[in-house]
Amino acid sequence: RGLSDEGRREHIQQLLVKIVTTVMQMDEPSFALSQPLHEVGMDSIMGLEIAAGLEKALGLRLSALDLAVGPSIEQLAQTILDRLTDAA
């Protein structure tokens, strides 16, 4: 959409923060974007809710494995960016 790779990554990270904090019932993230989500309390049900939120927002389906490996927001944003780039 006219954004650089870094701009797209930041946009995706912001979207992920919004989805993750909503699912995990946080007002704002109380963790580093580089911290694995399972370390901050994400369980498998939350992972499914996060995946559903991403699919709704971006039209991109993530597998349960993508979230089960315990990615951080940064890692998940890179995975999404790679998939969106491959799809373009």
Side-chain angles (χ1 to χ4, degrees):
R1 297 181 208 161
L3 293 173
S4 66
D5 281 350
E6 188 58 34
R8 283 193 293 272
R9 185 177 297 106
E10 287 179 18
H11 179 74
I12 292 168
Q13 284 181 2
Q14 290 171 358
L15 176 65
L16 282 166
V17 166
K18 183 178 179 181
I19 292 170
V20 168
T21 54
T22 299
V23 168
M24 297 180 76
Q25 299 179 352
M26 299 176 176
D27 290 330
E28 58 186 53
S30 57
F31 54 89
L33 298 185
S34 59
Q35 189 171 3
L37 292 174
H38 69 273
E39 288 182 4
V40 294
M42 183 187 79
D43 61 25
S44 59
I45 300 297
M46 289 175 182
L48 293 173
E49 291 176 17
I50 291 166
L54 285 169
E55 186 172 358
K56 183 177 179 183
L58 298 173
L60 178 72
R61 179 173 288 179
L62 293 178
S63 71
L65 183 60
D66 290 323
L67 291 160
V69 296
S72 66
I73 296 268
E74 289 176 344
Q75 291 166 323
L76 203 48
Q78 187 60 53
T79 297
I80 291 166
L81 185 58
D82 291 345
R83 297 228 181 124
L84 290 174
T85 302
D86 290 345

